[in-house]
Each structure stands twice: as structure tokens, then as C-alpha cells.
Amino acid sequence: MCQALDAEAIMQNTFCLVALYMKYQNSNDIVLLYNDPFFKDEYFYCISDPIALAGASDWWRRCSATFWSQEFWLPAGLTWDDIHTSLYDILFIPLLVGLFFVLLRHCVVEPFLLLPIARKAQIPNKRPRPPEPNKTLQVVFQRYETSPPKKVLAEASRATRLTERQVERWLRRSFAMNRLNRHDKFLDCGFKLVCHVWFGIMGAAVTLSKPWFWDTTLCWKGYPDHPVTTDVYWYYMILLGYYWAITYSELPRPGGKGSDKAQMILHHSLTILLIVFSWTTGYVRIGSLILFVHEYSDIALLAAKVCHYSGNDAPTEPLFVAFLVLWGVTRCGILPFWIVRSVFTEATPAGVQMPALYMMQSWFVGLLCLTAIWTGLIVRTVSKKLRGEGLKDARSATEDSESDKAEKKD
């Protein structure tokens, strides 16, 4: 905790604030100076220098007032006091929850559940022999992985006095050493499966009992007088923290096609933006529906992956069929024709009109575009299965295929 300022510092701080007030008292800037929906005055008390305190407070409040303009984010006639949001809710709590998920995975779920299952299923955890250390080739690998341009390959060959074939072998060996093996994928999918089963149960308990689940017009009627119950609050905070955690985990993950990783990170980012936006502006009812419909198809797909990586392929195809049904119902049915339709057709008639609504609608369009892309990949996977080529999750197939190619070349 920040210590209280002494009497002299308090007096100096008071004089600085009075000077600021006198500076802006003849303009409209004084209204913006103290119009901050998230930060309170005590957040700046930890700055011991009163002049720095006044300057930092002034600068932050101006930036915050510009970004959090009530005319942009809220319907006419509403202020942030009507919404009762805070930075503490949308930032600090989810980050702590994200840390909780990291600790839960590495301290509880993996050592006490997943690793014993992996040992019992005899899932191999083999790592290829690492290549000889080479700083020049390490720089090439970090930038191009296994596919450097011919000019870069030739320059690396001259700099290291290795043949181009030896350089390519070094890059492939580094790729194989860093990529996720079957054991790693089992642990990753297993932890996500545990989380999504928990979220599915929690989402059903939270949303099915709410009247706006059955009548989406109630997501907008009476806004902003939508009190947030304790179960909805923690449903939001827990899922937002989880998506922060898995987004961070995707960033350093090696291997795979860049576009696949970009699509996954973009999907997680859009989900985080929609959660934060709906919470900040008080649209918790429509936000809770978005979270609810995204869970169940993932449960079936993750269960199929866990079975596949554990070597038990018998339940894989029934689980994949369940995934197709749930994906079609939730992602291709309920999401566009129930939730997104409500955002585009029911919000405005209920009196919810502001520029930020158009931004929210654009995010929904982006989410639907990603859903359409993944639906196309899933259809392609099903067509391959019908031709007898076997099942594989199209959203991560490129990583597996590129890894297999690297292994075959070595």
C-alpha cells in the first residue's frame, strides 16, 4: 500500500490542484479533467512528488476522457455512473484469474490428472537430438523457421561453412526439437478439455435460468437498468481470465503455419474485446449468451483430440460427429440467427443507439467471418473422411502436416 503523504506534501499537492483548476476554470476542459469512469483520485496518491502527481493526473484524465467519451460509448442521456463499471473489474480481476489458470494447469491438473493418464496410456514423450549450437543459424531459424529464401540460405551456408543441405537439416532439426510432440498436445488439449467442461456446466447453470436466454429482446429492454448478479459477474471474470491465459500461451508456441496461429489469436482477441466491451458498456446479458454458445462444440472436439493423442481412437469418430452437430447448432445456427440477429435488429428499437454499437456490430461480423472460414475447413475435413482419408482437425492440421514433413526429410 502506498504510504500517506506528509502535511507539507499535501499542502503542495493542494496548491498544484488549485493551480490546475484556475487554469481550466474558464474553459470546458475542467469537465473532461474529472470525467474518468475507471480511475479514482487515490490511484495517483502513490506518486510522492506533488507536481508530478498533478501532471500525471491531468494527463491521464485528458487521455481517458477522450477515449471513454460518453457520447461515443453510451446512448444519449446516460453517464458512466449509470453503468457502474471499473478498471478493477475488466483488468485486475481477469489477470489474477489468468494467473490462477496457469497455476492450476502446472500445479494441479497436469501433475495429478493428465500426467498419470499419459503414463498409463504410454504416450511417448520423445525429443529429437538438438542440433549443434550455431548463433547464425539460430537467427535464420527465428525469422524463417524451416523455409528461408534461397538468398538467405546461401548466405547462411557461406557464413557457417556448411553446405546448403546441412543448413536445411539444422533448421529442420531445430523445428522438430521445439515443436509440440504428441505428449505435449495431449497435455494441452487435456487441460483445455477440463476447463471447457467446467465452463459448460457453469454456463448452463448461469444462463439457462435467466429470462433473456429465452427472450433476447430482454437483453436490451430497460437498459442500463440491468443489475449484474454474482453468478454472472464471476462467469465473466473467469472466462475473460481464461481467454487472456490461452492467448498468451499461443504467442510463443513454435511450429505450425503462421496464418493458423494468426486466426486463433485473432479469434481469442475478438472474444476478449467482445467480453470487455459488453461488460464495460453494461451489455452483460448479450455477452453471457455469446460466452455460452461458444463452449459445447469445443468440448466435443477437445475430447476427440484427447482420445486420439492417447491412442484410443475408438471414441474419436463418434465425438467428431457430436462436434459437427454441436458446431452446426451453436456456431452456424444460434450464433448468427439468434444472438447476432438480436444485436442488429433488436438493440436499436429498444432505444440502444450510440456509435459504439456499430463497432460492436463490426466485431460480430469479424467473428462470423472466422466462423465461416472454420466451417469451410471442417466441411473439407468431412469430405476427406468420406473419401477415406481419415479425420483430422482442419484448424490445426497444418501444424501436424508440416511437422510430419520435417521428420520425413530427416
Side-chain angles (χ1 to χ4, degrees):
M1 296 295 292
C2 299
Q3 296 181 352
L5 301 175
D6 56 28
E8 182 180 357
I10 293 175
M11 291 181 62
Q12 292 177 352
N13 183 35
T14 303
F15 290 142
C16 290
L17 292 178
V18 170
L20 282 173
Y21 176 80
M22 295 297 294
K23 180 179 178 180
Y24 296 109
Q25 65 176 343
N26 296 325
S27 66
N28 293 328
D29 292 339
I30 193 65
V31 178
L32 296 179
L33 188 63
Y34 293 97
N35 183 19
D36 190 335
F38 295 113
F39 274 91
K40 307 299 182 183
D41 291 337
E42 55 266 24
Y43 293 158
F44 296 100
Y45 288 170
C46 58
I47 304 176
S48 58
D49 185 0
I51 298 178
L53 170 66
S57 177
D58 179 33
W59 175 83
W60 174 260
R61 291 181 185 280
R62 287 176 171 276
C63 294
S64 179
T66 301
F67 183 82
W68 296 107
S69 171
Q70 296 171 169
E71 290 75 14
F72 179 83
W73 293 99
L74 302 177
L78 295 181
T79 67
W80 288 112
D81 292 334
D82 300 319
I83 308 299
H84 305 291
T85 55
S86 70
L87 185 66
Y88 180 81
D89 290 330
I90 65 171
L91 180 59
F92 298 133
I93 292 295
L95 289 180
L96 290 176
V97 172
L99 177 62
F100 164 76
F101 277 109
V102 173
L103 296 176
L104 178 68
R105 173 173 181 170
H106 296 287
C107 299
V108 180
V109 177
E110 284 190 2
F112 295 104
L113 177 63
L114 298 179
L115 287 176
I117 295 175
R119 286 193 293 267
K120 187 174 183 179
Q122 298 181 346
I123 302 175
N125 189 20
K126 297 180 180 179
R127 298 286 181 184
R129 182 172 58 87
E132 294 294 330
N134 191 306
K135 294 182 179 179
T136 301
L137 296 183
Q138 186 64 33
V139 172
V140 175
F141 175 76
Q142 289 176 352
R143 183 170 183 180
Y144 300 104
E145 289 193 345
T146 59
S147 304
K150 291 184 178 180
K151 182 179 179 180
V152 175
L153 183 63
E155 292 176 355
S157 177
R158 288 193 298 269
T160 58
R161 297 182 180 180
L162 299 173
T163 65
E164 292 187 3
R165 175 67 175 171
Q166 289 174 323
V167 172
E168 291 175 336
R169 185 179 295 114
W170 192 99
L171 296 176
R172 289 195 299 269
R173 188 168 293 172
S174 295
F175 177 88
M177 183 187 67
N178 292 320
R179 74 180 178 89
L180 297 178
N181 60 17
R182 183 176 170 183
H183 187 269
D184 296 331
K185 293 174 183 177
F186 172 80
L187 296 180
D188 185 61
C189 292
F191 175 72
K192 290 180 179 178
L193 176 61
V194 171
C195 291
H196 282 276
V197 169
W198 174 25
F199 299 154
I201 296 173
M202 180 171 57
V206 171
T207 59
L208 291 179
S209 60
K210 302 298 186 291
W212 64 82
F213 177 84
W214 309 101
D215 183 5
T216 55
T217 59
L218 297 178
C219 293
W220 314 103
K221 288 182 179 179
Y223 175 83
D225 188 20
H226 293 167
V228 180
T229 57
T230 302
D231 56 350
V232 173
Y233 174 87
W234 283 109
Y235 186 46
Y236 255 82
M237 297 302 111
I238 289 173
L239 265 74
L240 181 55
Y242 170 78
Y243 277 109
W244 274 121
I246 63 173
T247 301
Y248 290 144
S249 68
E250 291 284 347
L251 294 176
R253 179 169 296 176
K257 192 175 179 181
S259 60
D260 294 340
K261 180 185 290 188
Q263 287 179 17
M264 191 64 67
I265 293 176
L266 178 59
H267 177 268
H268 296 334
S269 301
L270 284 173
T271 304
I272 290 172
L273 284 173
L274 287 170
I275 295 173
V276 171
F277 174 85
S278 61
W279 178 265
T280 304
T281 53
Y283 301 141
V284 293
R285 295 183 175 182
I286 198 70
S288 63
L289 299 184
I290 297 170
L291 298 176
F292 179 72
V293 300
H294 273 77
E295 293 304 324
Y296 295 97
S297 60
D298 288 340
I299 292 174
L301 180 61
L302 289 169
K305 286 184 174 183
V306 167
C307 292
H308 172 68
Y309 293 137
S310 65
N312 184 18
D313 288 329
T316 301
E317 291 194 10
L319 287 170
F320 189 78
V321 172
F323 162 73
L324 292 177
V325 174
L326 291 171
W327 180 276
V329 172
T330 58
R331 303 292 185 93
C332 300
I334 295 177
L335 179 63
F337 299 109
W338 184 41
I339 297 178
V340 178
R341 175 196 58 80
S342 176
V343 173
F344 278 88
T345 64
E346 296 176 348
T348 302
V352 181
Q353 268 186 308
M354 70 286 192
L357 180 63
Y358 304 125
M359 184 172 64
M360 182 181 183
Q361 291 172 344
S362 67
W363 289 340
F364 271 107
V365 171
L367 194 61
L368 289 180
C369 289
L370 283 176
T371 301
I373 292 172
W374 283 341
T375 302
L377 294 175
I378 292 169
V379 170
R380 187 176 67 178
T381 301
V382 173
S383 65
K384 288 183 179 180
K385 170 60 181 175
L386 295 178
R387 293 197 300 267
E389 299 182 21
L391 287 176
K392 186 179 289 186
D393 177 22
R395 298 182 297 176
S396 60
T398 49
E399 180 180 342
D400 296 336
S401 62
E402 288 186 8
S403 301
D404 293 340
K405 290 178 182 178
E407 288 179 351
K408 289 178 182 179
K409 287 183 180 180
D410 284 333

